[in-house]
Coordinates of all heavy atoms in Angstrom, one line a residue:
M1 N 57.5 -0.3 -4.6 CA 56.3 -0.3 -5.3 C 55.6 -1.7 -5.3 O 54.5 -1.9 -4.9 CB 56.5 0.2 -6.7 CG 55.1 0.2 -7.5 SD 53.9 1.4 -6.8 CE 54.6 3.0 -7.4
V2 N 56.4 -2.8 -5.5 CA 56.0 -4.1 -5.5 C 55.5 -4.6 -4.1 O 54.6 -5.2 -3.8 CB 57.0 -5.1 -6.1 CG1 56.6 -6.5 -5.9 CG2 57.3 -4.8 -7.6
E3 N 56.4 -4.1 -3.1 CA 56.0 -4.4 -1.8 C 54.7 -4.0 -1.4 O 53.9 -4.7 -0.8 CB 57.1 -3.8 -0.9 CG 56.9 -4.2 0.6 CD 57.8 -3.5 1.5 OE1 59.0 -3.2 1.0 OE2 57.6 -3.2 2.6
K4 N 54.2 -2.7 -1.9 CA 52.9 -2.2 -1.6 C 51.9 -3.1 -2.3 O 50.9 -3.4 -1.6 CB 52.8 -0.8 -2.2 CG 51.5 -0.1 -2.1 CD 51.5 1.2 -2.8 CE 50.0 1.7 -2.8 NZ 50.0 2.9 -3.7
V5 N 52.1 -3.6 -3.4 CA 51.1 -4.4 -4.0 C 51.0 -5.8 -3.4 O 49.9 -6.3 -3.3 CB 51.5 -4.7 -5.6 CG1 50.6 -5.7 -6.2 CG2 51.4 -3.3 -6.3
E6 N 52.1 -6.4 -2.9 CA 52.0 -7.6 -2.2 C 51.1 -7.6 -1.0 O 50.5 -8.6 -0.7 CB 53.5 -8.0 -1.8 CG 54.4 -8.6 -2.9 CD 55.8 -8.9 -2.4 OE1 56.1 -8.4 -1.3 OE2 56.6 -9.4 -3.3
K7 N 51.0 -6.5 -0.4 CA 50.0 -6.4 0.7 C 48.6 -6.5 0.3 O 47.7 -6.9 1.1 CB 50.3 -5.1 1.5 CG 51.7 -5.0 2.2 CD 51.9 -3.7 2.9 CE 53.2 -3.7 3.5 NZ 53.6 -2.3 3.9
R8 N 48.4 -6.1 -0.9 CA 46.9 -6.2 -1.4 C 46.6 -7.6 -2.0 O 45.5 -8.0 -2.0 CB 46.8 -5.3 -2.6 CG 46.8 -3.7 -2.1 CD 46.4 -2.9 -3.4 NE 47.5 -2.9 -4.4 CZ 47.3 -2.8 -5.7 NH1 46.1 -2.6 -6.1 NH2 48.3 -2.7 -6.5
A9 N 47.7 -8.5 -2.3 CA 47.5 -9.8 -2.9 C 47.2 -10.7 -1.8 O 48.1 -11.1 -1.1 CB 48.5 -10.1 -3.7
I10 N 45.9 -11.2 -1.6 CA 45.7 -12.0 -0.4 C 45.1 -13.4 -0.8 O 45.0 -14.3 0.1 CB 44.6 -11.4 0.5 CG1 43.3 -11.1 -0.2 CG2 45.2 -10.1 1.2 CD1 42.2 -10.6 0.6
V11 N 44.8 -13.6 -2.0 CA 44.3 -14.9 -2.4 C 45.0 -15.5 -3.7 O 45.2 -14.8 -4.7 CB 42.8 -14.7 -2.9 CG1 42.3 -16.1 -3.3 CG2 42.0 -14.2 -1.7
G12 N 45.7 -16.6 -3.6 CA 46.3 -17.3 -4.6 C 45.4 -18.0 -5.7 O 44.1 -17.9 -5.3
W13 N 45.9 -18.3 -6.8 CA 44.9 -18.7 -7.9 C 44.3 -20.0 -7.5 O 43.3 -20.4 -8.0 CB 45.6 -18.8 -9.2 CG 46.8 -19.9 -9.3 CD1 48.1 -19.6 -9.0 CD2 46.7 -21.2 -9.6 NE1 48.8 -20.8 -9.1 CE2 48.0 -21.7 -9.6 CE3 45.6 -22.1 -10.0 CZ2 48.3 -23.1 -9.9 CZ3 45.9 -23.4 -10.4 CH2 47.2 -23.9 -10.3
R14 N 44.9 -20.9 -6.6 CA 44.4 -22.2 -6.2 C 43.2 -21.9 -5.4 O 42.4 -22.9 -5.1 CB 45.4 -22.9 -5.4 CG 46.5 -23.5 -6.3 CD 47.5 -24.3 -5.5 NE 48.6 -24.9 -6.3 CZ 49.7 -24.3 -6.6 NH1 49.9 -23.0 -6.2 NH2 50.6 -24.8 -7.4
N15 N 43.0 -20.7 -4.8 CA 41.9 -20.5 -3.9 C 40.8 -19.6 -4.6 O 40.0 -19.0 -3.8 CB 42.3 -19.8 -2.6 CG 43.3 -20.7 -1.9 OD1 43.1 -21.9 -1.8 ND2 44.4 -20.1 -1.5
L16 N 40.9 -19.5 -5.9 CA 39.8 -18.8 -6.6 C 38.4 -19.3 -6.3 O 38.3 -20.5 -6.2 CB 40.1 -18.6 -8.1 CG 41.3 -17.8 -8.5 CD1 41.5 -17.9 -9.9 CD2 41.1 -16.3 -8.0
A17 N 37.4 -18.5 -6.4 CA 36.0 -19.1 -6.3 C 35.7 -20.1 -7.5 O 36.3 -19.9 -8.5 CB 35.0 -17.9 -6.4
L18 N 34.8 -21.0 -7.1 CA 34.4 -22.0 -8.2 C 34.0 -21.2 -9.5 O 33.2 -20.3 -9.4 CB 33.3 -22.8 -7.6 CG 32.8 -24.0 -8.5 CD1 34.0 -25.0 -8.5 CD2 31.6 -24.7 -7.9
G19 N 34.5 -21.7 -10.6 CA 34.2 -21.1 -11.9 C 34.9 -19.7 -12.1 O 34.5 -19.0 -12.9
C20 N 35.8 -19.4 -11.1 CA 36.5 -18.1 -11.2 C 35.5 -17.0 -11.2 O 35.7 -15.9 -11.8 CB 37.4 -18.0 -12.5 SG 38.7 -19.2 -12.5
A21 N 34.5 -17.1 -10.5 CA 33.4 -16.1 -10.3 C 34.0 -15.0 -9.5 O 34.7 -15.1 -8.6 CB 32.2 -16.7 -9.6
I22 N 33.6 -13.8 -10.0 CA 33.9 -12.5 -9.3 C 32.8 -12.3 -8.2 O 31.7 -12.0 -8.5 CB 34.0 -11.3 -10.2 CG1 35.0 -11.6 -11.4 CG2 34.4 -10.0 -9.5 CD1 36.5 -11.8 -11.0
L23 N 33.2 -12.3 -6.9 CA 32.2 -12.3 -5.9 C 32.1 -10.9 -5.3 O 31.1 -10.6 -4.6 CB 32.5 -13.3 -4.8 CG 32.6 -14.8 -5.2 CD1 33.0 -15.6 -4.1 CD2 31.3 -15.2 -5.9
E24 N 33.1 -10.1 -5.6 CA 33.1 -8.7 -5.1 C 33.7 -7.8 -6.1 O 34.7 -8.0 -6.7 CB 34.0 -8.7 -3.9 CG 34.2 -7.3 -3.2 CD 35.2 -7.3 -2.1 OE1 35.7 -8.4 -1.7 OE2 35.6 -6.3 -1.7
A25 N 32.9 -6.8 -6.4 CA 33.4 -5.7 -7.4 C 34.7 -5.1 -7.1 O 34.9 -4.8 -6.0 CB 32.3 -4.7 -7.6
G26 N 35.6 -4.9 -8.0 CA 36.8 -4.3 -7.8 C 37.8 -5.0 -7.0 O 38.7 -4.4 -6.3
S27 N 37.7 -6.4 -6.9 CA 38.6 -7.1 -6.2 C 39.7 -7.8 -6.8 O 40.5 -8.5 -6.2 CB 37.7 -8.4 -5.5 OG 37.2 -9.1 -6.6
S28 N 40.0 -7.5 -8.0 CA 41.1 -8.1 -8.8 C 42.5 -7.9 -8.2 O 43.3 -8.8 -8.3 CB 41.0 -7.7 -10.3 OG 41.4 -6.2 -10.3
T29 N 42.7 -6.7 -7.5 CA 44.1 -6.5 -7.0 C 44.3 -7.4 -5.8 O 45.5 -7.5 -5.3 CB 44.2 -5.0 -6.6 OG1 43.1 -4.6 -5.8 CG2 44.2 -4.1 -7.8
Q30 N 43.3 -8.0 -5.2 CA 43.5 -8.9 -4.1 C 43.8 -10.3 -4.5 O 44.2 -11.1 -3.7 CB 42.1 -8.9 -3.3 CG 41.7 -7.6 -2.7 CD 40.4 -7.7 -2.1 OE1 40.0 -8.7 -1.5 NE2 39.7 -6.6 -2.0
L31 N 43.8 -10.6 -5.9 CA 44.1 -11.9 -6.3 C 45.5 -12.1 -6.8 O 45.9 -11.3 -7.8 CB 43.1 -12.2 -7.5 CG 41.6 -12.1 -7.1 CD1 40.8 -12.5 -8.3 CD2 41.3 -13.1 -5.9
L32 N 46.3 -12.8 -6.3 CA 47.7 -13.1 -6.6 C 47.7 -14.1 -7.7 O 47.6 -15.2 -7.6 CB 48.5 -13.7 -5.4 CG 49.9 -13.9 -5.6 CD1 50.6 -12.5 -5.9 CD2 50.5 -14.4 -4.3
T33 N 47.8 -13.5 -8.9 CA 47.5 -14.2 -10.2 C 48.8 -14.5 -11.0 O 48.7 -15.1 -12.1 CB 46.5 -13.6 -11.0 OG1 46.9 -12.2 -11.3 CG2 45.1 -13.6 -10.4
G34 N 50.0 -14.1 -10.5 CA 51.1 -14.3 -11.3 C 51.8 -15.6 -11.1 O 52.9 -15.9 -11.7
T35 N 51.4 -16.5 -10.3 CA 52.1 -17.6 -9.9 C 52.1 -18.8 -10.8 O 52.9 -19.8 -10.6 CB 51.6 -18.1 -8.5 OG1 50.3 -18.4 -8.5 CG2 51.8 -17.1 -7.4
W36 N 51.4 -18.8 -11.9 CA 51.4 -19.9 -12.8 C 52.2 -19.6 -14.0 O 52.4 -20.2 -14.9 CB 50.0 -20.2 -13.2 CG 49.3 -19.2 -14.0 CD1 49.6 -18.7 -15.3 CD2 48.1 -18.6 -13.6 NE1 48.7 -17.8 -15.6 CE2 47.8 -17.6 -14.6 CE3 47.3 -18.5 -12.4 CZ2 46.6 -16.7 -14.5 CZ3 46.2 -17.8 -12.4 CH2 45.8 -16.9 -13.4
R37 N 52.9 -18.4 -13.9 CA 53.7 -17.9 -15.1 C 55.0 -18.9 -15.3 O 55.5 -19.4 -14.4 CB 54.2 -16.5 -14.6 CG 55.0 -15.8 -15.7 CD 55.5 -14.5 -15.1 NE 56.1 -14.6 -13.9 CZ 55.8 -14.2 -12.7 NH1 54.8 -13.4 -12.6 NH2 56.6 -14.4 -11.6
L38 N 55.3 -19.1 -16.6 CA 56.4 -19.9 -17.0 C 57.7 -19.0 -17.3 O 58.8 -19.5 -17.3 CB 56.0 -20.8 -18.1 CG 55.0 -21.9 -17.9 CD1 54.7 -22.6 -19.2 CD2 55.3 -22.8 -16.8
Q39 N 57.4 -17.8 -17.7 CA 58.4 -16.8 -18.0 C 58.0 -15.5 -17.4 O 56.9 -15.1 -17.4 CB 58.9 -16.8 -19.4 CG 57.7 -16.7 -20.3 CD 58.0 -16.7 -21.9 OE1 59.2 -16.9 -22.2 NE2 57.1 -16.5 -22.6
H40 N 59.1 -14.6 -17.3 CA 58.8 -13.3 -16.8 C 59.6 -12.3 -17.6 O 60.7 -12.6 -18.0 CB 59.0 -13.2 -15.3 CG 60.4 -13.3 -14.9 ND1 61.0 -14.4 -14.6 CD2 61.4 -12.3 -14.8 CE1 62.2 -14.3 -14.2 NE2 62.6 -13.0 -14.3
P41 N 59.1 -11.0 -17.6 CA 59.8 -10.0 -18.4 C 60.8 -9.3 -17.6 O 60.6 -9.1 -16.4 CB 58.6 -9.0 -18.9 CG 57.6 -9.2 -17.8 CD 57.7 -10.6 -17.2
V42 N 61.9 -8.9 -18.3 CA 62.9 -8.1 -17.6 C 63.2 -6.9 -18.5 O 63.4 -7.0 -19.7 CB 64.1 -8.9 -17.4 CG1 65.3 -8.0 -16.9 CG2 64.0 -10.1 -16.5
I43 N 63.1 -5.7 -17.9 CA 63.3 -4.5 -18.7 C 64.8 -4.0 -18.6 O 65.3 -4.0 -17.5 CB 62.4 -3.3 -18.3 CG1 60.9 -3.7 -18.5 CG2 62.7 -2.0 -19.0 CD1 60.0 -2.6 -18.0
D44 N 65.3 -3.7 -19.7 CA 66.7 -3.1 -19.8 C 66.5 -1.6 -19.7 O 66.1 -1.0 -20.7 CB 67.4 -3.5 -21.0 CG 68.8 -3.0 -21.0 OD1 69.2 -1.9 -20.4 OD2 69.7 -3.5 -21.8
Q45 N 66.6 -1.0 -18.6 CA 66.3 0.4 -18.4 C 67.2 1.3 -19.3 O 66.9 2.5 -19.6 CB 66.4 0.8 -16.9 CG 65.3 0.2 -16.0 CD 63.9 0.6 -16.4 OE1 63.7 1.6 -17.0 NE2 63.0 -0.1 -15.8
Q46 N 68.4 0.8 -19.6 CA 69.3 1.6 -20.6 C 68.7 1.7 -21.8 O 68.9 2.6 -22.6 CB 70.7 0.9 -20.7 CG 71.2 0.7 -19.2 CD 71.5 2.1 -18.6 OE1 72.0 3.0 -19.3 NE2 71.4 2.2 -17.4
L47 N 67.9 0.7 -22.4 CA 67.3 0.7 -23.7 C 66.0 1.4 -23.8 O 65.6 1.9 -24.7 CB 67.2 -0.7 -24.3 CG 68.5 -1.5 -24.7 CD1 68.1 -2.9 -25.0 CD2 69.2 -0.7 -25.7
C48 N 65.3 1.4 -22.6 CA 64.0 1.9 -22.5 C 64.0 3.4 -22.7 O 64.7 4.2 -22.2 CB 63.4 1.6 -21.1 SG 61.7 2.3 -20.8
N49 N 63.0 3.8 -23.6 CA 62.9 5.3 -23.9 C 61.6 5.9 -23.1 O 61.2 7.0 -23.4 CB 62.8 5.6 -25.4 CG 61.4 5.1 -26.1 OD1 60.7 4.4 -25.3 ND2 61.4 5.0 -27.2
R50 N 61.0 5.1 -22.3 CA 59.8 5.4 -21.5 C 58.6 5.9 -22.3 O 57.8 6.7 -21.9 CB 60.3 6.6 -20.5 CG 61.3 6.1 -19.6 CD 61.7 7.1 -18.5 NE 62.6 6.5 -17.5 CZ 63.1 7.2 -16.5 NH1 62.6 8.4 -16.3 NH2 63.9 6.6 -15.7
C51 N 58.4 5.1 -23.4 CA 57.3 5.5 -24.2 C 56.0 5.0 -23.6 O 54.9 5.5 -23.9 CB 57.5 4.8 -25.6 SG 57.4 3.1 -25.6
G52 N 56.0 4.0 -22.8 CA 54.7 3.6 -22.2 C 54.0 2.6 -22.8 O 52.9 2.2 -22.5
L53 N 54.4 2.1 -24.0 CA 53.6 1.1 -24.8 C 53.4 -0.3 -24.0 O 52.4 -0.8 -24.2 CB 54.2 0.9 -26.2 CG 54.0 2.0 -27.2 CD1 54.8 1.7 -28.5 CD2 52.6 2.3 -27.5
C54 N 54.4 -0.6 -23.4 CA 54.3 -1.9 -22.5 C 53.1 -1.7 -21.5 O 52.4 -2.6 -21.2 CB 55.6 -2.2 -21.9 SG 56.3 -0.9 -20.8
Y55 N 53.1 -0.5 -20.9 CA 52.1 -0.3 -20.0 C 50.7 -0.3 -20.6 O 49.8 -0.9 -20.0 CB 52.4 1.2 -19.3 CG 51.4 1.6 -18.4 CD1 51.5 1.4 -17.0 CD2 50.3 2.6 -18.8 CE1 50.5 1.9 -16.1 CE2 49.4 3.0 -17.8 CZ 49.6 2.7 -16.5 OH 48.7 3.3 -15.6
I56 N 50.7 0.3 -21.7 CA 49.3 0.3 -22.4 C 48.8 -1.1 -22.9 O 47.6 -1.4 -22.8 CB 49.4 1.2 -23.6 CG1 49.5 2.7 -23.2 CG2 48.2 1.1 -24.6 CD1 50.0 3.7 -24.2
Y57 N 49.8 -1.9 -23.4 CA 49.4 -3.2 -24.0 C 49.2 -4.3 -22.9 O 48.6 -5.3 -23.3 CB 50.5 -3.7 -25.0 CG 50.4 -3.1 -26.4 CD1 51.1 -2.0 -26.8 CD2 49.4 -3.6 -27.2 CE1 50.9 -1.4 -28.1 CE2 49.2 -3.1 -28.5 CZ 50.0 -2.0 -28.9 OH 49.8 -1.4 -30.2
C58 N 49.9 -4.2 -21.8 CA 49.8 -5.3 -20.9 C 48.4 -5.5 -20.5 O 47.6 -4.7 -20.0 CB 50.5 -4.9 -19.6 SG 50.3 -6.3 -18.3
P59 N 47.7 -6.7 -20.7 CA 46.4 -7.0 -20.5 C 46.1 -7.2 -18.9 O 44.9 -7.3 -18.6 CB 46.1 -8.3 -21.2 CG 47.4 -9.0 -21.2 CD 48.5 -7.9 -21.4
D60 N 47.1 -7.3 -18.1 CA 46.9 -7.5 -16.7 C 47.2 -6.4 -15.8 O 47.4 -6.5 -14.6 CB 47.6 -8.8 -16.3 CG 47.0 -10.1 -16.9 OD1 45.9 -10.3 -16.5 OD2 47.6 -10.7 -17.8
M61 N 47.6 -5.2 -16.5 CA 47.9 -4.1 -15.6 C 49.2 -4.4 -14.7 O 49.2 -4.0 -13.6 CB 46.8 -3.5 -14.8 CG 45.7 -3.0 -15.6 SD 46.2 -1.5 -16.7 CE 46.5 -0.3 -15.4
A62 N 50.1 -5.2 -15.2 CA 51.1 -5.7 -14.4 C 52.4 -4.8 -14.6 O 53.6 -5.3 -14.2 CB 51.5 -7.2 -14.8
I63 N 52.3 -3.7 -15.3 CA 53.4 -2.8 -15.4 C 53.1 -1.5 -14.7 O 52.0 -1.0 -14.8 CB 53.7 -2.5 -16.9 CG1 54.2 -3.9 -17.6 CG2 54.8 -1.5 -17.0 CD1 54.3 -3.8 -19.1
I64 N 54.0 -1.0 -14.0 CA 53.7 0.1 -13.1 C 54.7 1.3 -13.6 O 55.8 1.1 -14.0 CB 54.3 -0.2 -11.7 CG1 53.3 -1.3 -11.1 CG2 54.2 1.0 -10.7 CD1 53.9 -1.9 -9.9
K65 N 54.2 2.4 -13.6 CA 54.9 3.7 -13.9 C 55.4 4.2 -12.4 O 54.5 4.6 -11.7 CB 54.2 4.7 -14.7 CG 55.0 5.9 -15.1 CD 54.2 6.8 -16.0 CE 55.2 8.0 -16.5 NZ 54.4 8.9 -17.4
T66 N 56.7 4.4 -12.3 CA 57.1 4.9 -11.1 C 57.1 6.4 -11.0 O 56.9 7.1 -12.0 CB 58.6 4.4 -10.8 OG1 59.4 5.2 -11.7 CG2 58.8 3.0 -11.0
P67 N 57.2 7.0 -9.8 CA 57.1 8.4 -9.8 C 58.2 9.1 -10.5 O 58.1 10.2 -11.0 CB 57.3 8.7 -8.3 CG 56.8 7.5 -7.6 CD 57.2 6.4 -8.5
A68 N 59.3 8.4 -10.9 CA 60.4 8.9 -11.6 C 60.2 8.8 -13.1 O 61.0 9.3 -13.9 CB 61.7 8.2 -11.2
G69 N 59.0 8.0 -13.4 CA 58.7 8.0 -14.8 C 59.3 6.8 -15.6 O 59.0 6.5 -16.8
A70 N 59.9 5.9 -14.8 CA 60.3 4.6 -15.3 C 59.2 3.6 -15.3 O 58.2 3.7 -14.5 CB 61.5 4.1 -14.5
Y71 N 59.3 2.5 -16.1 CA 58.3 1.4 -16.0 C 58.9 0.2 -15.4 O 60.1 -0.2 -15.7 CB 57.8 1.2 -17.5 CG 57.1 2.3 -17.9 CD1 57.6 3.4 -18.6 CD2 55.7 2.3 -17.7 CE1 56.7 4.4 -19.0 CE2 54.8 3.4 -18.1 CZ 55.4 4.4 -18.8 OH 54.7 5.5 -19.2
E72 N 58.2 -0.4 -14.5 CA 58.7 -1.7 -13.9 C 57.5 -2.6 -13.9 O 56.3 -2.4 -14.0 CB 58.9 -1.3 -12.4 CG 60.1 -0.4 -12.2 CD 60.3 -0.2 -10.7 OE1 59.5 -0.6 -9.9 OE2 61.3 0.5 -10.5
H73 N 57.9 -4.0 -13.9 CA 56.9 -5.0 -13.9 C 56.5 -5.4 -12.4 O 57.4 -5.4 -11.6 CB 57.4 -6.3 -14.6 CG 57.5 -6.1 -16.1 ND1 58.7 -5.7 -16.7 CD2 56.6 -6.3 -17.0 CE1 58.5 -5.6 -18.0 NE2 57.2 -6.0 -18.3
D74 N 55.3 -5.6 -12.2 CA 54.7 -6.1 -11.0 C 54.5 -7.7 -11.2 O 53.5 -8.1 -11.7 CB 53.5 -5.4 -10.5 CG 53.0 -5.9 -9.2 OD1 53.5 -6.9 -8.7 OD2 52.1 -5.3 -8.6
L75 N 55.4 -8.5 -10.8 CA 55.4 -9.9 -11.1 C 54.2 -10.6 -10.2 O 53.9 -11.7 -10.5 CB 56.7 -10.6 -10.9 CG 57.8 -10.1 -11.8 CD1 59.1 -10.8 -11.5 CD2 57.4 -10.2 -13.3
N76 N 53.6 -9.9 -9.3 CA 52.5 -10.5 -8.7 C 51.3 -10.8 -9.5 O 50.5 -11.6 -9.3 CB 52.0 -9.6 -7.5 CG 52.9 -9.7 -6.3 OD1 53.4 -10.8 -5.9 ND2 53.2 -8.6 -5.7
Y77 N 51.2 -9.9 -10.7 CA 50.1 -10.0 -11.6 C 50.5 -10.4 -13.0 O 49.6 -10.5 -13.8 CB 49.3 -8.7 -11.5 CG 48.9 -8.4 -10.1 CD1 49.6 -7.5 -9.3 CD2 47.9 -9.0 -9.5 CE1 49.2 -7.1 -8.1 CE2 47.4 -8.8 -8.2 CZ 48.1 -7.8 -7.5 OH 47.8 -7.5 -6.2
C78 N 51.8 -10.4 -13.3 CA 52.2 -10.8 -14.7 C 52.0 -12.3 -15.0 O 52.4 -13.1 -14.2 CB 53.7 -10.5 -14.9 SG 54.4 -11.0 -16.2
K79 N 51.4 -12.5 -16.2 CA 51.1 -13.9 -16.6 C 52.2 -14.4 -17.4 O 52.1 -15.6 -17.9 CB 49.7 -14.0 -17.3 CG 48.6 -13.3 -16.6 CD 48.3 -14.0 -15.3 CE 46.9 -13.6 -14.8 NZ 46.8 -12.2 -14.6
G80 N 53.2 -13.6 -17.8 CA 54.3 -14.1 -18.7 C 53.8 -14.2 -20.1 O 54.5 -15.0 -20.9
C81 N 52.8 -13.6 -20.6 CA 52.3 -13.7 -21.9 C 53.3 -13.2 -23.0 O 53.3 -13.6 -24.1 CB 51.1 -13.0 -22.1 SG 51.1 -11.1 -22.0
G82 N 54.1 -12.2 -22.7 CA 55.2 -11.7 -23.6 C 54.7 -10.6 -24.4 O 55.4 -10.1 -25.4
I83 N 53.5 -10.1 -24.3 CA 53.0 -9.0 -25.2 C 53.9 -7.8 -25.0 O 54.2 -7.2 -26.0 CB 51.5 -8.7 -24.8 CG1 50.6 -9.9 -25.2 CG2 51.0 -7.4 -25.5 CD1 49.2 -9.8 -24.9
C84 N 54.2 -7.5 -23.8 CA 55.0 -6.3 -23.6 C 56.3 -6.3 -24.3 O 56.7 -5.4 -24.9 CB 55.2 -6.0 -22.1 SG 56.0 -7.4 -21.2
A85 N 56.9 -7.5 -24.2 CA 58.2 -7.7 -25.0 C 58.0 -7.6 -26.5 O 58.9 -7.1 -27.3 CB 58.8 -9.1 -24.6
E86 N 56.9 -8.2 -26.9 CA 56.6 -8.1 -28.4 C 56.4 -6.7 -28.9 O 56.9 -6.4 -30.1 CB 55.5 -9.0 -28.7 CG 55.1 -9.3 -30.2 CD 56.1 -10.1 -30.8 OE1 56.7 -10.9 -30.1 OE2 56.2 -9.9 -32.1
E87 N 55.7 -5.9 -28.1 CA 55.3 -4.6 -28.5 C 56.3 -3.5 -28.3 O 56.3 -2.4 -28.8 CB 54.0 -4.2 -27.9 CG 52.8 -5.1 -28.3 CD 52.5 -5.0 -29.7 OE1 52.8 -4.0 -30.4 OE2 52.0 -6.1 -30.2
C88 N 57.3 -3.8 -27.4 CA 58.3 -2.8 -27.1 C 59.1 -2.4 -28.3 O 59.8 -3.2 -28.9 CB 59.2 -3.2 -26.0 SG 60.6 -2.1 -25.7
P89 N 59.1 -1.1 -28.8 CA 59.7 -0.7 -30.0 C 61.2 -0.6 -29.8 O 62.0 -0.6 -30.8 CB 59.2 0.7 -30.2 CG 58.8 1.2 -28.8 CD 58.3 0.0 -28.1
K90 N 61.7 -0.6 -28.6 CA 63.2 -0.5 -28.4 C 63.8 -1.9 -28.1 O 65.0 -2.0 -27.9 CB 63.6 0.4 -27.2 CG 63.0 1.8 -27.5 CD 63.8 2.5 -28.6 CE 65.1 2.8 -28.1 NZ 65.9 3.6 -29.1
K91 N 62.9 -2.9 -28.1 CA 63.3 -4.3 -27.8 C 64.0 -4.3 -26.4 O 65.1 -4.9 -26.2 CB 64.2 -4.9 -28.8 CG 63.5 -5.0 -30.2 CD 62.4 -5.9 -30.1 CE 61.6 -6.0 -31.4 NZ 60.1 -6.5 -31.2
A92 N 63.6 -3.5 -25.4 CA 64.1 -3.4 -24.2 C 63.7 -4.4 -23.2 O 64.1 -4.5 -22.1 CB 63.8 -2.0 -23.6
I93 N 62.6 -5.3 -23.6 CA 62.1 -6.2 -22.7 C 62.5 -7.6 -23.1 O 62.2 -8.0 -24.2 CB 60.6 -6.2 -22.5 CG1 60.1 -4.7 -22.0 CG2 60.1 -7.2 -21.6 CD1 58.7 -4.4 -22.0
T94 N 63.1 -8.4 -22.3 CA 63.4 -9.7 -22.6 C 62.6 -10.7 -21.7 O 62.4 -10.5 -20.5 CB 64.9 -10.0 -22.2 OG1 65.7 -9.1 -22.9 CG2 65.3 -11.4 -22.6
M95 N 62.1 -11.8 -22.3 CA 61.3 -12.8 -21.5 C 62.3 -13.9 -20.9 O 63.1 -14.4 -21.8 CB 60.2 -13.4 -22.3 CG 59.2 -12.5 -22.9 SD 58.4 -11.5 -21.5 CE 57.4 -12.9 -20.7
V96 N 62.3 -14.1 -19.7 CA 63.2 -15.0 -19.0 C 62.4 -16.1 -18.4 O 61.5 -16.0 -17.7 CB 64.1 -14.3 -18.0 CG1 65.0 -15.2 -17.2 CG2 64.8 -13.0 -18.7
E97 N 63.0 -17.3 -18.6 CA 62.2 -18.6 -18.1 C 62.3 -18.5 -16.5 O 63.3 -18.1 -15.8 CB 62.8 -19.8 -18.5 CG 62.4 -20.2 -20.0 CD 62.8 -21.6 -20.4 OE1 62.8 -22.4 -19.4 OE2 62.9 -21.7 -21.5
E98 N 61.2 -18.9 -15.8 CA 61.2 -18.9 -14.5 C 62.0 -20.1 -14.0 O 62.1 -21.2 -14.6 CB 59.6 -19.2 -14.0 CG 58.7 -18.1 -14.2 CD 59.0 -16.8 -13.3 OE1 59.5 -17.1 -12.2 OE2 58.6 -15.7 -13.6
E99 N 62.6 -20.1 -12.8 CA 63.3 -21.1 -12.2 C 62.3 -21.9 -11.4 O 61.3 -21.5 -11.0 CB 64.4 -20.6 -11.3 CG 65.5 -19.9 -12.1 CD 66.6 -19.4 -11.2 OE1 66.6 -19.8 -10.0 OE2 67.4 -18.5 -11.7
E100 N 62.5 -23.3 -11.3 CA 61.7 -24.1 -10.6 C 61.5 -23.7 -9.1 O 62.5 -23.4 -8.5 CB 62.2 -25.6 -10.6 CG 62.1 -26.2 -12.0 CD 60.6 -26.7 -12.4 OE1 59.9 -27.1 -11.5 OE2 60.2 -26.7 -13.5
Ligands
SF4_1 S1 57.6 -0.3 -24.4 FE1 59.8 -0.7 -24.2 S2 60.7 1.4 -24.5 FE2 58.6 1.8 -24.1 S3 58.3 2.1 -21.9 FE3 58.0 -0.1 -22.2 S4 60.1 -1.0 -22.0 FE4 60.3 1.1 -22.3
SF4_2 S1 54.3 -10.5 -20.0 FE1 52.2 -10.1 -20.3 S2 51.2 -10.0 -18.3 FE2 53.4 -9.8 -18.0 S3 53.9 -7.6 -17.9 FE3 54.1 -8.3 -20.1 S4 52.2 -8.0 -21.1 FE4 51.8 -7.9 -18.9

């Protein structure tokens, strides 16, 4: 699933338009916006009850529901805000610091 998204991400944040202007409607999936993240979420699938709250709360649509019904993070778009970890009722998401 992530591999599919990587093909859509063609512009890194350093190459955004001046003023972060949106020059083309519906172009957000082409922007690789997860690279300034300081930490990333990791889901413990054993604890996850598949309630979908992380998917609903993520402000960047960086959580994907797989055909099997599991939830996974798409780190190409995750900003590391930690909202999903904060809202998960099962405490199944842990925020882990990025390595240099
Ligand atoms: S909020 Fe937590 S329990 Fe619910 S789907 Fe997301 S990771 Fe699983
Ligand atoms: S850390 Fe923030 S941006 Fe990343 S998946 Fe969770 S809610 Fe979305």
Side-chain angles (χ1 to χ4, degrees):
M1 182 63 79
V2 171
E3 184 180 333
K4 177 184 171 192
V5 173
E6 282 175 350
K7 289 176 184 169
R8 290 187 290 150
I10 57 173
V11 180
W13 65 271
R14 289 181 176 86
N15 299 316
L16 291 176
L18 188 64
C20 296
I22 305 297
L23 304 178
E24 180 188 343
S27 61
S28 63
T29 56
Q30 298 174 31
L31 304 177
L32 184 57
T33 52
T35 53
W36 62 69
R37 185 182 55 240
L38 297 178
Q39 53 183 359
H40 67 272
V42 175
I43 296 181
D44 182 338
Q45 297 292 349
Q46 300 298 319
L47 290 177
C48 175
N49 66 3
R50 301 186 172 182
C51 67
L53 285 177
C54 54
Y55 176 88
I56 293 169
Y57 275 101
C58 175
D60 289 294
M61 294 299 291
I63 298 175
I64 298 164
K65 186 175 185 180
T66 70
Y71 290 90
E72 296 177 355
H73 288 95
D74 181 349
L75 298 181
N76 284 317
Y77 302 102
C78 169
K79 310 294 191 305
C81 67
I83 291 174
C84 55
E86 187 68 27
E87 297 298 335
C88 174
K90 300 293 286 183
K91 299 300 176 200
I93 303 176
T94 304
M95 298 303 294
V96 177
E97 284 192 25
E98 294 287 337
E99 295 180 13
E100 290 280 330

